Amino acid sequence: ITSQSGLLTTIAASTSKNVEYALEGSVFVAGAGIQWLRDSMRMLKTSAQSQEYAEHVPDTAGVYIVPAFAGMGAPYWDQYARGMMIGITGGTSREHIVRAVLESIAFQVYDNAQVMEQDSGYSFSVMKADGGPVVNRFLMQFQADILDAAVDVPVVTEMTAYGAAFLAALAVGEFDSIEDVRGCWKLGKRYEPGMGRMEREFRLEQWHRAVERCKNWEIPNRR
């Protein structure tokens, strides 16, 4: 499938008999936003602390952060976009900023999930998540809320390495088929959506307003 919405067609995995393709949403800055808070802004001592700060406030108090530090990837593809924080007031705190960075990850996943549905023709009611950020309970719950779909986190969260190991096992005959491998995936925790429709739509509208404001900011060849 060739994307009409800014996604990349990539090889997901292959065996000696089949090549499996995927639509990939390439987001330049997601979890790296937390590293930025920790290392550059020094708002966090550890990445894990972001959950504590995010849960300390009920919302971002209207703050939205678009982490377009190196332009924007899928589905926007704007190399001249730059990062932006908007909605700050005299009452904006570190907790609001940390929460806004975490929320930006979920918003970017939402944007890519929407165009994946359009391009693939498939809809989904559950999203499987893995990698380092899944240990952040606040982020996973907010992701489910914004998607209006359940988010499943497996017992083994490093699924890239896990998948490579299973493909190797399949190649040497430890498994008879891909279906046998599928049975090894174990659910660690499911996050169910709980946000109301009006609130979800308002937050997404505000996010997309912020995205539009950061587009095409950098002027080429002006230094």
Side-chain angles (χ1 to χ4, degrees):
I1 296 173
T2 300
S3 174
Q4 304 301 312
S5 309
L7 300 174
L8 305 176
T9 300
T10 185
I11 294 177
S14 63
T15 65
S16 59
K17 298 179 181 179
N18 295 302
V19 177
E20 302 290 346
Y21 292 89
L23 289 172
E24 178 182 2
S26 179
V27 173
F28 294 159
V29 177
I34 304 302
Q35 296 174 3
W36 171 72
L37 288 175
R38 184 192 65 200
D39 301 337
S40 298
M41 302 305 292
R42 299 182 182 178
M43 290 186 177
L44 303 171
K45 290 183 179 179
T46 66
S47 296
Q49 208 172 22
S50 61
Q51 176 181 305
E52 174 190 342
Y53 284 154
E55 292 176 337
H56 193 71
V57 289
D59 51 43
T60 66
V63 174
Y64 287 80
I65 292 177
V66 184
F69 301 156
M72 297 191 73
Y76 300 104
W77 295 113
D78 183 350
Q79 64 177 316
Y80 300 117
R82 288 298 178 267
M84 182 187 69
M85 183 190 308
I86 196 167
I88 61 173
T89 68
T92 298
S93 67
R94 171 173 55 182
E95 288 80 4
H96 294 131
I97 293 171
V98 170
R99 181 170 175 136
V101 169
L102 285 173
E103 289 188 1
S104 76
I105 299 173
F107 287 133
Q108 291 179 95
V109 170
Y110 171 90
D111 287 344
N112 279 275
Q114 296 306 297
V115 294
M116 283 182 177
E117 282 194 325
Q118 294 168 21
D119 282 348
S120 69
Y122 292 107
S123 60
F124 67 93
S125 58
V126 177
M127 176 174 282
K128 291 181 178 179
D130 66 271
V134 300
V135 301
N136 191 304
R137 296 188 303 275
F138 165 79
L139 174 58
M140 292 298 98
Q141 183 59 56
F142 188 77
Q143 186 71 81
D145 289 342
I146 287 299
L147 286 171
D148 194 26
V151 172
D152 282 356
V153 175
V155 172
V156 178
T157 59
E158 295 302 329
M159 290 303 297
T160 302
Y162 206 47
F166 276 128
L167 279 174
L170 182 64
V172 298
E174 291 293 325
F175 296 98
D176 294 327
S177 68
I178 289 291
E179 284 65 35
D180 293 339
V181 175
R182 274 200 192 97
C184 296
W185 189 93
K186 303 298 181 184
L187 177 65
K189 183 173 177 59
R190 168 168 286 190
Y191 295 84
E192 297 282 359
M195 184 179 290
R197 180 180 62 83
M198 291 183 64
E199 181 180 359
R200 180 172 59 256
E201 290 178 354
F202 173 74
R203 294 196 183 200
L204 286 166
E205 180 184 4
Q206 291 293 86
W207 161 255
H208 290 133
R209 288 179 68 204
V211 168
E212 288 302 314
R213 282 161 170 76
C214 82
K215 286 182 177 179
N216 203 33
W217 175 260
E218 181 76 5
I219 301 175
N221 303 319
R222 285 291 299 272
R223 292 293 182 185

